[in-house]
Amino acid sequence: MKNILVIGACGQIGSELTLQLRKDFGIQNVVASDLCIKAGSALEEGPMETLDARDRNAIAEISKKYNIDTIINLAAILSANGEKNPSLAWDVNINALINTFEVAREMKMDRVLVPSSIAAFGPTTPRENTPQETILEPTTMYGITKVAGELLGDYYVKKYGLDVRGLRYPGIISHETLPGGGTTDYAVAIYYDAVKFNKYTCFVSAETRLPMMYMPDCIKATIDLLKADFDTLKHHANFNVGAMSFSVDELAESIKKYQPDFSIDYAPDYRQAIADSWPDSIDDSAARAEWDWKPAFDLDAMTQDMLKNIRIKHEKGLI
Ligand code: NAD
Ligand code: SER
């Protein structure tokens, strides 16, 4: 694992993960790529390439240019946008993924990491403390691509001996880069609107409860799994990872502890049905046993950090 290509590096997770990878592996050893990279992006500190991952030859060319031995593929169309354009979700989430696996296999790379999601679960999955091995019958195109991606990852491990790793992220909450069109976006938007307007209208109901994770834990989980010894892994492309689980009502109460006159109201839309199809909480004992996963942030610790950082952005006129 000397030279890493991050695909989808400009997104909510990639924009922070890439910078941490560069701290760990060296700035010149981590190549950022995305459909287009904004001028002035922090990613400009190191190598950057424009890449549409649906183009297999382009992945291969960049991989050869930088002698890539590890790919982290974060390119995706998330759940809410995926329901607006299901065929695009399939194209990006599956065809770009197969391209990644094929280039990695042909070039005999060390490893590939690709995230899955709680969206791999569906309404027939046990909702509470959702087990590692369970029913996978998602009702969104995004979820269908995530299940297929997990199965493809495990297939490449078994058939070709390619080292593929993946984790089922819960909703990821962060303050650097806005989320890219998912159902859990409300758990980020609420903090921005709390700072800007002292109120928020939520697109899912007060009692909607989903598993969530703060970005520092997401980065830690991803890099810990990336670095784990392959021989200790019994699972490969589908690790459950949990951190916290809360309803929107509880999230609002957490904000009120630090901003007492904050108020919230509700106007559920099509994303309610997506949220209702996902688990309340996650059993991540396999990740804890196989690569020592342990989150650091709970709801109130995250709320304090989110409000602090978004207030700084607001004071600087950035939002
Ligand atoms: P995002 O939407 O913020 O970023 C995805 C990036 O992929 C974007 O920068 C986009 O430009 C890029 N992209 C889209 N199509 C592409 C293509 N054809 N070629 C190259 N790049 C392309 O997503 P994210 O939240 O950073 O998610 C990263 C991964 O984590 C995805 O696999 C996603 O399914 C998974 N995940 C995210 C969350 C979350 O809450 N953020 C939760 C569960 C799983
Ligand atoms: N945060 C993602 C979404 O809502 C979950 O994978 O789509």
Side-chain angles (χ1 to χ4, degrees):
M1 235 198 331
K2 291 199 176 89
N3 296 310
I4 301 174
L5 172 63
V6 182
I7 299 175
C10 296
Q12 185 194 8
I13 296 171
S15 57
E16 297 198 48
L17 178 63
T18 304
L19 298 183
Q20 186 59 49
L21 287 167
R22 285 176 171 167
K23 282 188 188 140
D24 290 10
F25 293 90
I27 291 177
Q28 294 307 319
N29 301 328
V30 180
V31 180
S33 72
D34 206 303
L35 289 175
C36 81
I37 299 193
K38 275 193 218 142
S41 159
L43 298 175
E44 285 181 332
E45 65 171 11
M48 292 191 322
E49 294 284 342
T50 300
L51 171 67
D52 184 335
R54 291 170 295 177
D55 180 347
R56 186 178 302 181
N57 291 334
I59 301 178
E61 274 169 30
I62 291 172
S63 296
K64 283 177 195 144
K65 177 176 170 186
Y66 292 97
N67 200 17
I68 296 294
D69 58 26
T70 301
I71 299 182
I72 300 177
N73 182 350
L74 304 171
I77 305 299
L78 299 192
S79 60
N81 283 349
E83 290 312 288
K84 290 182 192 155
N85 195 342
S87 66
L88 177 66
W90 181 268
D91 198 18
V92 174
N93 300 3
I94 294 299
N95 292 331
L97 184 60
I98 292 183
N99 288 343
T100 302
F101 288 151
E102 277 299 291
V103 171
R105 178 180 73 80
E106 282 165 13
M107 291 182 61
K108 299 187 174 22
M109 289 194 189
D110 282 355
R111 67 195 60 169
V112 174
L113 187 143
V114 55
S116 185
S117 162
I118 52 165
F121 305 120
T124 52
T125 306
R127 281 189 84 84
E128 281 171 32
N129 211 23
T130 299
Q132 175 68 44
E133 267 77 41
T134 189
I135 301 164
L136 300 173
E137 294 178 335
T139 48
T140 60
M141 179 54 92
Y142 175 66
I144 291 166
T145 65
K146 287 299 173 187
V147 173
E150 290 181 5
L151 294 172
L152 274 171
D154 285 347
Y155 178 84
Y156 272 77
V157 175
K158 286 193 200 97
K159 187 162 176 81
Y160 299 114
L162 181 67
D163 180 344
V164 179
R165 299 155 187 229
L167 58 183
R168 293 171 176 152
Y169 291 138
I172 303 300
I173 297 170
S174 66
H175 54 79
E176 284 298 326
T177 304
L178 288 172
T183 301
T184 58
D185 293 15
Y186 67 84
V188 175
I190 192 172
Y191 289 107
Y192 278 86
D193 280 13
V195 169
K196 286 196 284 185
F197 310 119
N198 209 18
K199 62 179 184 190
Y200 178 61
T201 300
C202 189
F203 59 75
V204 297
S205 64
E207 58 278 6
T208 303
R209 177 181 295 278
L210 288 173
M212 299 280 180
M213 182 181 283
Y214 197 31
M215 185 61 89
D217 279 333
C218 170
I219 303 294
K220 181 177 181 303
T222 310
I223 294 180
D224 284 356
L225 177 59
L226 186 71
K227 288 178 174 171
D229 181 353
F230 184 82
D231 294 336
T232 68
L233 303 181
K234 297 188 185 75
H235 297 84
H236 297 289
N238 63 356
F239 281 100
N240 279 4
V241 280
M244 57 184 114
S245 178
F246 49 78
S247 65
V248 185
D249 201 24
E250 289 163 351
L251 174 56
E253 286 307 313
S254 176
I255 292 174
K256 280 182 200 167
K257 284 183 193 165
Y258 311 100
Q259 203 168 299
D261 48 354
F262 170 69
S263 67
I264 184 163
D265 59 12
Y266 297 90
D269 65 16
Y270 70 101
R271 290 167 282 191
Q272 183 70 57
I274 302 176
D276 288 345
S277 75
W278 292 349
D280 285 3
S281 57
I282 294 292
D283 172 6
D284 59 5
S285 45
R288 288 175 190 255
E290 292 176 42
W291 46 277
D292 217 13
W293 162 239
K294 195 170 168 215
F297 280 84
D298 64 12
L299 174 55
D300 285 344
M302 176 177 76
T303 293
Q304 290 178 70
D305 203 53
M306 283 291 285
L307 290 175
K308 183 182 87 184
N309 282 288
I310 295 170
R311 281 175 188 149
I312 291 170
K313 278 186 164 185
H314 194 237
E315 280 157 19
K316 288 183 178 167
L318 297 173
I319 55 165

